[in-house]
């Protein structure tokens, strides 16, 4: 308990100290005046194709020391990020202008075609300095718009122009020593920790902003024949972002230059990402989301109140009947009381249901834990790839939960017989990951064929397979072992030997099941727009706190919808509730997929080519299947609890 208290205190101190402590991987770097600053390049990206390509796939200048990959984490590789070094170098707080970078060779026919194609597809160059992406400001109808990166070039009246001169502005803030005593000191202990004021400190700066203005400038190639990289261009360069003057022509070289200015800013290091979280279009409509949440909560509350009153009245009436009256009234009884001998009859394909529920628990657990960590700031946009890496890590660890739930449910359906639990646990470990791997492999072949950096390298494929079979599968089998040892859930009533005939229904029950998904969809469709914009439009998603609330609300609504539908089916003597309760809440996935198609048609109109559309629909299908497993599991488990509770509350002979 003492250790737990220390952990809680440490976490509180971390969040309490606004300027004293930073989360792992995001500590401020101090740069002394004159220190070298290196710009890195990420993959070229476009919202027109959704296929990233390497920066050096185009005829750009390469660094003198050669192109080197930065160490990328698993999440960055899966997202298609390829961060490499670049020839752009600065000296801290040293303004420089007219710096010659390089002159490319004469553009070959292939280079010319590729460059013009990338300009047509609106590809953006993404530069990074001190982990900050380059930001670009443009004016439109009196509004200042912010963008990350800059376009490769522009097409005006059938002539292609390349942006070959970059005007950088680096915002810096005086480095402040972290107040160690404020974080670590408790009571008198603060005096015991030296503050470091006695030792001489060289004044330094932190990078708090990185802006770029791209220009198309006509250079004289004769002036740069004898120039080396980083030497001064012999004539003044006028950078006018509103005019372009360097057309791309086959057989002609391109000269690249840049300039950099440093400016001291009031922005403190912890606030340097604020500019990126105010991207055009990414302002979350808080009132709209709040309104949606209130309506759904109110609606769900009404449903729950009506439902509880109905069940309580039915139970009271049922229990008040004495045995003789009950025997006489049995002929007249209708509703869920009549299916008492069939309600716990094993469903069709019981093993598949157990596997899907187990996988659903794993996916839901991963979503809750990941979003919670992201909401607490451990997976900020500043730490690239940590969200995907975290999701993979939590998914593998939660294999234990998948195995346990799948096997225990299997034993419950089999009336305590543990036979076949290894098969169920093994299938639970392979079912959803197998579907995911199949989809991703097909999409990967498309990306490989396009030579995109979004394609997962073969070595990473091997790593993912090893993680799956060496960590996830064994953990799922361990969970299955514990599930086989745990006592199975005893049914409150026995199933009759002969199944009861289900009376003809006025309407198909599956129609009601499919329609039930509209209510859970209503809780998340607004948030879904922002998530889709983040994934496909390159915007930064950061309101994980709100997403966590939406997720919890979605779980509650899925549980309630499934409960109500199960009760309605039992009332019309339909005792086949198992699969219906799963798909009652799981059918929200159908509406999310339809929304994805709608988003493709209306919001991603510019998406070019069948490959890009196939990639989009493939990733959407993968996301929708994961949502179906998670929401279906919530619905099934809540219905199972309800049916168990309902029939254990009834006084039977």
């Amino acid at each position: 308990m003492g250790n737990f208290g220390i952990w809680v205190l440490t976490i509180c101190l971390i969040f309490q100290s606004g300027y004293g402590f930073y989360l792992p991987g995001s500590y401020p770097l101090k740069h002394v005046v004159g220190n070298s600053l290196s710009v890195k390049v990420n993959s070229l990206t476009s919202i027109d194709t959704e296929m990233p390509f390497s920066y050096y796939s185009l005829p750009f200048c390469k660094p003198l020391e050669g192109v080197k990959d930065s160490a990328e984490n698993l999440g960055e590789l899966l997202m298609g990020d390829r961060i490499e070094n670049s020839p752009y170098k600065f000296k801290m707080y040293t303004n420089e202008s007219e710096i010659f970078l390089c002159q490319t060779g004469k553009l070959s026919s292939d280079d010319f075609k590729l460059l013009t194609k990338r300009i047509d597809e609106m590809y953006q160059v993404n530069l990074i300095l001190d982990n900050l992406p380059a930001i670009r400001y443009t004016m439109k109808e009196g509004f200042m718009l912010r963008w990350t990166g800059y376009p490769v070039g522009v097409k005006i009246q059938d002539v292609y122009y390349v942006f070959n001169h970059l005007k950088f502005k680096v915002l810096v803030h005086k480095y402040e020593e972290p107040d160690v005593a404020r974080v670590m000191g408790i009571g008198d202990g603060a005096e015991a920790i030296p503050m470091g004021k006695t030792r001489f400190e060289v004044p330094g700066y932190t990078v708090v902003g990185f802006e770029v203005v791209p220009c198309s400038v006509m250079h004289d190639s004769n002036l740069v024949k004898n120039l080396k990289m980083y030497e001064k261009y012999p004539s003044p360069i006028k950078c006018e972002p509103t005019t372009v003057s360097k057309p791309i022509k086959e057989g002609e070289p391109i000269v690249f230059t840049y300039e950099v200015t440093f400016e001291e800013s009031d922005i403190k290091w912890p606030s340097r990402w604020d500019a990126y979280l105010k991207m055009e279009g990414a302002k979350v409509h808080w009132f709209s989301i709040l309104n949606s949440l209130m309506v759904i909560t109110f609606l769900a509350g009404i449903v729950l109140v009506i439902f509880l009153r109905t069940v309580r009245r039915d139970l009271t009436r049922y229990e008040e009947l004495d045995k003789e009256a009950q025997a006489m009234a049995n002929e007249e009884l209708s509703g869920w009381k009549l299916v008492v001998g069939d309600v716990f009859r094993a469903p069709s394909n019981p093993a598949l249901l157990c596997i899907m529920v187990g996988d659903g628990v794993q996916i839901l657990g991963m979503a809750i834990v990941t979003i919670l960590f992201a909401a607490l700031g451990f997976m900020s946009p500043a730490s690239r790839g940590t969200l995907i890496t975290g999701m993979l890590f939590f998914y593998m660890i939660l294999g234990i939960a998948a195995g346990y739930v799948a096997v225990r449910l299997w034993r419950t359906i089999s009336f305590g017989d543990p036979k076949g639990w290894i098969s169920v646990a093994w299938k639970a470990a392979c079912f959803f990951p197998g579907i995911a791997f199949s989809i991703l492999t097909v999409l990967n072949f498309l990306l490989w064929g396009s030579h995109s950096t979004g394609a997962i390298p073969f070595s990473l494929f091997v790593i993912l397979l090893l993680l799956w079979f060496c960590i996830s599968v064994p953990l799922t089998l361990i969970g299955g072992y514990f599930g086989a040892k745990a006592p199975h859930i005893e049914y409150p009533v026995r199933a009759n030997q002969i199944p009861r005939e289900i009376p003809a229904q006025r309407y198909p029950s599956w129609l009601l099941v499919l329609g039930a998904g509209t209510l859970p969809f209503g809780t998340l469709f607004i948030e879904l727009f922002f998530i889709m914009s983040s994934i496909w439009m390159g915007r930064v998603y950061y309101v994980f706190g709100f997403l966590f609330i939406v997720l919890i609300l979605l779980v509650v609504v899925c549980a309630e919808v499934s409960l109500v539908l199960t009760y309605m089916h039992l009332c019309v003597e339909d005792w086949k509730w198992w699969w219906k309760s799963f798909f009652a809440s799981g059918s929200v996935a159908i509406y999310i997929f339809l929304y994805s198609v709608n988003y493709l048609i209306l919001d991603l109109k510019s998406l070019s080519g069948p490959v890009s559309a196939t990639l989009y629909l493939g990733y959407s299908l993968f996301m929708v299947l994961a949502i179906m497993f998670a929401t279906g599991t919530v619905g099934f488990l809540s219905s199972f609890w309800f049916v168990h509770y309902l029939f254990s509350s009834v006084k039977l002979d």
Side-chain angles (χ1 to χ4, degrees):
M1 190 65 194
N3 289 342
F4 178 75
I6 291 166
W7 271 106
V8 170
L9 186 61
T10 307
I11 290 167
C12 290
L13 284 168
I14 286 170
F15 288 105
Q16 175 262 341
S17 55
Y19 57 86
F21 192 85
Y22 304 101
L23 294 172
S26 57
Y27 200 81
L29 290 173
K30 174 185 170 183
H31 303 280
V32 178
V33 174
N35 269 15
S36 178
L37 294 173
S38 297
V39 175
K40 293 182 179 180
V41 288
N42 203 341
S43 301
L44 303 170
T45 54
S46 166
I47 59 169
D48 268 24
T49 65
E50 301 297 347
M51 284 191 287
F53 289 97
S54 169
Y55 174 79
Y56 293 109
S57 63
L58 294 181
F60 291 137
C61 301
K62 293 184 179 178
L64 293 171
E65 66 272 21
V67 178
K68 294 173 185 173
D69 281 339
S70 292
E72 288 136 345
N73 60 40
L74 199 60
E76 284 176 305
L77 289 168
L78 288 170
M79 287 166 66
D81 286 351
R82 295 293 181 276
I83 300 171
E84 297 161 313
N85 60 337
S86 84
Y88 296 102
K89 294 190 188 303
F90 313 145
K91 289 173 187 168
M92 173 53 84
Y93 225 134
T94 307
N95 295 344
E96 295 174 283
S97 60
E98 289 121 25
I99 303 168
F100 168 71
L101 205 57
C102 81
Q103 178 175 258
T104 65
K106 291 180 179 179
L107 285 184
S108 66
S109 174
D110 289 343
D111 282 343
F112 174 76
K113 284 176 185 172
L114 188 62
L115 198 54
T116 53
K117 186 186 178 191
R118 295 289 177 256
I119 291 170
D120 276 334
E121 292 170 338
M122 295 174 65
Y123 269 86
Q124 302 274 322
V125 177
N126 299 294
L127 303 177
I128 301 165
L129 177 67
D130 194 33
N131 202 32
L132 278 180
I135 202 167
R136 177 172 56 98
Y137 292 94
T138 57
M139 288 295 291
K140 187 179 180 183
E141 298 173 3
F143 291 99
M144 182 73 80
L145 305 181
R146 303 175 183 88
W147 312 85
T148 50
Y150 67 91
V152 170
V154 66
K155 182 183 179 183
I156 299 172
Q157 294 176 348
D158 294 331
V159 180
Y160 293 92
Y161 297 89
V162 67
F163 290 120
N164 61 337
H165 178 83
L166 299 180
K167 185 178 181 180
F168 294 107
K169 186 203 280 186
V170 181
L171 304 179
V172 294
H173 187 81
K174 270 192 177 169
Y175 182 79
E176 296 169 5
E177 276 293 330
D179 189 353
V180 181
R182 176 179 169 80
V183 180
M184 302 303 293
I186 302 166
D188 298 334
E191 296 169 16
I193 298 172
M195 295 295 289
K197 290 179 183 176
T198 54
R199 69 179 189 274
F200 176 72
E201 286 288 343
V202 179
Y205 293 90
T206 55
V207 176
V208 294
F210 183 37
E211 298 172 13
V212 64
V213 177
C215 298
S216 180
V217 177
M218 178 62 84
H219 293 304
D220 187 348
S221 57
N222 293 319
L223 291 175
V224 300
K225 276 181 181 175
N226 300 318
L227 282 183
K228 291 180 181 176
M229 195 178 275
Y230 307 123
E231 289 185 350
K232 200 170 179 72
Y233 186 78
S235 64
I237 298 171
K238 196 174 181 184
C239 181
E240 287 287 344
T242 52
T243 59
V244 287
S245 55
K246 175 56 187 170
I248 307 166
K249 291 178 182 173
E250 194 175 326
E252 283 190 11
I254 303 171
V255 176
F256 286 92
T257 53
Y258 71 96
E259 61 186 275
V260 59
T261 56
F262 286 81
E263 190 179 292
E264 197 160 339
S265 168
D266 293 332
I267 300 167
K268 292 193 175 183
W269 194 88
S271 308
R272 67 183 193 151
W273 272 86
D274 288 0
Y276 300 87
L277 304 182
K278 295 172 186 169
M279 285 288 168
E280 184 266 327
K283 283 187 178 178
V284 180
H285 304 291
W286 294 94
F287 177 76
S288 181
I289 293 176
L290 199 61
N291 181 52
S292 174
L293 295 182
M294 287 173 67
V295 168
I296 293 300
T297 310
F298 179 67
L299 195 59
I302 291 174
V303 166
L304 195 63
V305 167
I306 293 170
F307 167 67
L308 285 175
R309 284 183 60 190
T310 308
V311 173
R312 194 169 291 163
R313 190 176 65 237
D314 277 2
L315 275 175
T316 309
R317 192 190 300 163
Y318 193 68
E319 287 173 1
E320 280 174 356
L321 296 171
D322 57 33
K323 285 181 183 176
E324 289 176 23
Q326 192 174 313
M328 290 171 63
N330 262 347
E331 295 298 321
E332 298 169 17
L333 280 176
S334 64
W336 57 269
K337 302 79 140 182
L338 293 175
V339 295
V340 70
D342 297 274
V343 74
F344 288 110
R345 191 177 301 283
S348 55
N349 301 311
L352 181 62
L353 180 66
C354 297
I355 291 160
M356 288 174 77
V357 170
D359 284 349
V361 167
Q362 190 175 6
I363 295 164
L364 183 67
M366 174 204 71
I368 291 171
V369 176
T370 307
I371 293 169
L372 182 61
F373 269 80
L376 293 173
F378 285 93
M379 296 174 182
S380 72
S383 308
R384 284 181 192 80
T386 50
L387 194 68
I388 304 288
T389 309
M391 287 171 77
L392 270 173
F393 173 76
F394 292 130
Y395 181 82
M396 288 188 299
I397 297 299
L398 286 164
I400 292 179
Y404 179 84
V405 171
V407 170
R408 194 161 182 215
L409 183 60
W410 169 253
R411 287 194 65 220
T412 299
I413 292 172
S414 306
F415 301 101
D417 184 10
K419 188 181 175 184
W421 75 266
I422 295 175
S423 170
V424 169
W426 170 253
K427 287 172 184 171
C430 297
F431 187 64
F432 179 74
I435 294 170
F437 257 91
S438 303
I439 294 171
L440 292 178
T441 304
V442 171
L443 298 181
N444 218 46
F445 276 118
L446 289 174
L447 289 165
W448 267 335
S450 306
H451 305 289
S452 168
T453 59
I456 300 169
F458 182 74
S459 57
L460 183 60
F461 238 94
V462 173
I463 290 167
L464 289 174
L465 283 168
L466 287 172
L467 288 173
W468 179 12
F469 285 106
C470 298
I471 298 176
S472 185
V473 170
L475 285 175
T476 310
L477 291 171
I478 290 168
Y481 173 78
F482 286 119
K485 292 292 176 188
H488 71 280
I489 300 163
E490 295 276 357
Y491 291 147
V493 290
R494 282 198 302 268
N496 294 338
Q497 287 185 337
I498 301 167
R500 180 186 178 84
E501 188 181 344
I502 299 169
Q505 307 295 326
R506 292 180 189 172
Y507 46 84
S509 58
W510 283 102
L511 199 65
L512 200 60
V513 167
L514 293 175
T518 52
L519 195 58
F521 179 72
T523 64
L524 59 86
F525 81 96
I526 292 177
E527 201 63 32
L528 200 59
F529 171 78
F530 294 106
I531 295 168
M532 300 285 265
S533 298
S534 168
I535 296 169
W536 300 110
M537 305 288 276
R539 292 169 184 161
V540 182
Y541 188 86
Y542 60 98
V543 285
F544 289 104
F546 232 111
L547 183 61
F548 188 72
I549 295 168
V550 170
L551 181 65
I552 297 302
L553 200 70
L554 176 67
V555 167
V556 172
V557 173
C558 282
E560 291 173 344
V561 162
S562 191
L563 283 183
V564 173
L565 229 72
T566 300
Y567 181 68
M568 286 171 69
H569 282 123
L570 293 178
C571 281
V572 292
E573 300 173 42
D574 184 353
W575 45 266
K576 293 182 178 179
W577 60 272
W578 300 78
W579 280 106
K580 286 168 188 168
S581 66
F582 185 92
F583 286 112
S585 51
S587 62
V588 67
I590 296 168
Y591 298 97
I592 293 174
F593 189 74
L594 291 174
Y595 181 86
S596 302
V597 174
N598 174 69
Y599 188 85
L600 173 65
I601 295 165
L602 298 180
D603 292 88
L604 295 176
K605 293 175 198 165
S606 59
L607 203 65
S608 59
V611 174
S612 299
T614 307
L615 283 170
Y616 173 84
L617 291 172
Y619 286 125
S620 297
L621 181 65
F622 171 61
M623 177 183 76
V624 157
L625 282 171
I627 291 169
M628 184 194 77
F629 276 64
T631 53
T633 295
V634 171
F636 172 78
L637 292 177
S638 58
S639 288
F640 184 85
W641 168 83
F642 162 69
V643 171
H644 192 279
Y645 171 79
L646 182 64
F647 284 91
S648 60
S649 304
V650 175
K651 289 177 184 174
L652 296 166
D653 294 336

